[in-house]
Amino acid sequence: MVTTDDPNGREPAAQGAQATRVHGRAQQHAGGDLTEELLTSDWWTDAMVQHAGIPIVDVPLVSVGGGIGSFVTVDYLRIAGVAPDHIRVLSNIDFPWQTYEYLTRVSQIPRGERIRSDSASRPDNIWGFPSYALAEAVHDRTLGPLWQVLVEPIWADYYTPRAGQVFAGLEREAKRIGFPQMVVNGQVRMVRRRQGGGYFTILTPPSDAPPSDAQPTQRVAYRSSFVHLAVGYPGLRFLPELQEFRTEHHDFHHVVSAYEDHEHVYNLARTKHVVVMLRGGGIVASRVLQRLMDDREKFGLSTQIVHLFRTYVSGSHGPNAWNRRKGGNGFAYQGFNYPKSVWGGQLKSRMRKLEGDDRARAYKLMGGTNTPFRRRWQAQMRAGREAGWYRTMSGTVKQMRLADGMVISEVETAEGLIEVAADFVIDCTGLEADIAEHRVLADLFEHSGAGRNPLGRLDVERDFQLRGADSGTGVIYASGATTLGGYFPGVDTFLGLQIAAQEIADDLARRGFCGRIGTLRSTAQWLRWAFGRAP
Ligand SMILES: Cc1cc2nc3c(=O)[nH]c(=O)nc-3n(C[C@H](O)[C@H](O)[C@H](O)COP(=O)(O)OP(=O)(O)OC[C@H]3O[C@@H](n4cnc5c(N)ncnc54)[C@H](O)[C@@H]3O)c2cc1C
């Protein structure tokens, strides 16, 4: 067996009950960076890491990412009785909703606007009670939100909480469970299996970081039995013609992504007449469209909007009379990004049994770009169509060029090639990059036995264990967008992240790492939540 530097001679990565412990410079021999031996070896020994001069921190579990996925997983584990010093969250952000808040803000959901998910999807409350609607009703002393959930979606749109309410709840829960104390800032470079069991997770601390678990160094190795990966989206991918345009013209001004800050478009529209071309038919396109339409109304602007759909939906669609989705004027309509039964109904149980191509086909059937049907948006678009300032078209862009400060898009339509001139093109297609573009995931594919699921993302078991990456008694779990295509479809949602967290906590309870969240613990813990007491 490999020697360890644990003073008690125990095997650190397999214990699960040992709190954070630092093994510093005493064991170091080299410059504290990755060596050729480490870079090329699938399995690392403690001696290899020590020889490289990289300080080792022992902690039973690390969560990589630090966003909403890490947060809800840590929340479950804290409620299941895990002490804060048994968990480290390795992250390049300062608070869990930072990336989410950035993406929602730039895609036109500032704190005062309502997000997409429902009243009970509370990432700050594993019980979903009180729901956001109840909390808002009590806070604002109004019955409005409760009435809305009662009559939705027939007589009212689905109730959804304001982004600000979600962030305030997350902040409160983060404080309650001691989340900030578990976060170590830095960039995770890789996770490698350890000979003897468990893993090494290599963190590159920020160059100006004050010493935290270890002394300032180029790298720190976290030696743990369990690793949880929740790294969010691997990155943005632009449609080829948009990418070509941006690269050729070095122009990040006229052609923008809805996931980038593009406030200059709205600012310019307030000073002069502009034509904006929108691309995409999902919720982000609806949001950007709403902002353009709101500003038009609020400031009396003359903005013209040309909305291009690649797949134009003109009515209800689906394989049969029972399996249809509403649609019209280009959009496919659906309250949430998946049918509700994905989170706990028939569809959830059917998906758990599907493998390979059958699963891929099921995803194709229920997926696809869609947006909620909201009465306000419908009224605004109708007004725009009637007055002629909002036009839709269907087609594929073949080429884009710049002429007299305008972006000319050559669009191939059923009627032939049409040229559309616009001051700005806002891309709301939101294509995600391949997960192998994420360095940590690429490394897992290459060195740690991880594989791809039928949709090409990380292949996880029903309890979110990363298939093929076991190391002795150690396990890697993964949740979020990187696992889309697995046995549970709603992974990239608050509720989906919580369902994954629950599966992970149950599996860790079976392994003796934490307690089980049964009826008694759950009731007692809810009371602690309600009174703001630590778990
Ligand atoms: C615009 C938008 C709106 C959405 N609205 C909703 C909604 O209304 N309801 C809903 O349920 N879901 C919604 N989602 C989906 C999903 O719930 C959120 O995206 C959520 O933030 C996903 O959590 P996550 O932890 O997987 O990713 P994130 O919250 O993005 O966190 C992952 C973090 O990992 C960090 N990271 C990555 N690699 C490394 C590394 N190597 N080292 C250190 N850190 C790293 C990233 O910087 C990132 O901050 C929305 C998504 C988007 C984009």
Side-chain angles (χ1 to χ4, degrees), residues 172-192:
R172 173 189 181 269
E173 182 66 351
K175 270 198 199 119
R176 190 183 80 89
I177 64 170
F179 193 82
Q181 289 79 56
M182 293 178 255
V183 175
V184 183
N185 240 239
Q187 187 75 22
V188 171
R189 167 68 178 83
M190 59 187 37
V191 181
R192 290 280 172 96

Side-chain angles (χ1 to χ4, degrees), residues 64-70 90-93 96 99-100 103-104 107 109 115-117 186-188 230-233 259 284 438 440 479-481 492-495 497:
V64 178
I68 311 261
S70 288
L90 311 181
S91 177
N92 57 15
I93 51 174
T99 299
Y100 178 73
L103 289 173
T104 46
S107 64
I109 316 176
I115 62 166
R116 186 172 192 179
S117 53
Q187 187 75 22
V188 171
V231 293
Y233 303 105
Y259 288 117
V284 171
H438 193 285
V440 176
S479 52
D492 186 31
T493 62
F494 297 159
L495 200 52
L497 290 166

Side-chain angles (χ1 to χ4, degrees), residues 250-264:
H250 300 289
D251 186 330
F252 302 91
H253 179 79
H254 291 92
V255 175
V256 293
S257 159
Y259 288 117
E260 302 173 315
D261 212 329
H262 58 278
E263 209 48 37
H264 63 278

Side-chain angles (χ1 to χ4, degrees), residues 102-104 106-107 233 236 238 256-262 283-285 288 426-432:
Y102 169 78
L103 289 173
T104 46
V106 296
S107 64
Y233 303 105
L236 261 190
F238 284 95
V256 293
S257 159
Y259 288 117
E260 302 173 315
D261 212 329
H262 58 278
I283 184 152
V284 171
V288 170
I426 307 182
D427 174 33
C428 308
T429 52
L431 279 183
E432 286 170 45

Side-chain angles (χ1 to χ4, degrees), residues 365-434:
L365 193 63
M366 74 178 117
T369 307
N370 61 68
T371 193
F373 182 97
R374 290 195 182 155
R375 287 160 171 83
R376 177 165 161 68
W377 295 348
Q378 293 297 324
Q380 287 178 308
M381 287 189 289
R382 205 175 310 117
R385 276 192 298 271
E386 281 165 13
W389 51 259
Y390 173 60
R391 286 177 294 134
T392 56
M393 61 190 294
S394 158
T396 328
V397 176
K398 288 288 141 203
Q399 228 185 354
M400 295 167 77
R401 60 175 200 280
L402 204 56
D404 301 330
M406 303 283 276
V407 184
I408 315 292
S409 304
E410 284 179 19
V411 188
E412 194 170 73
T413 69
E415 294 82 40
L417 211 59
I418 296 177
E419 287 200 344
V420 182
D423 296 274
F424 295 104
V425 174
I426 307 182
D427 174 33
C428 308
T429 52
L431 279 183
E432 286 170 45
D434 182 76

Side-chain angles (χ1 to χ4, degrees), residues 149-167:
V149 282
L150 187 72
V151 300
E152 70 180 22
I154 310 288
W155 289 297
D157 292 339
Y158 276 113
Y159 169 88
T160 65
R162 288 200 178 85
Q165 188 185 3
V166 176
F167 302 145

Side-chain angles (χ1 to χ4, degrees), residues 499-520:
I499 288 171
Q502 190 166 14
E503 296 278 1
I504 294 167
D506 283 352
D507 190 59
L508 285 168
R510 282 191 290 274
R511 293 167 188 273
F513 176 67
C514 57
R516 237 179 55 75
I517 307 180
T519 316
L520 276 182

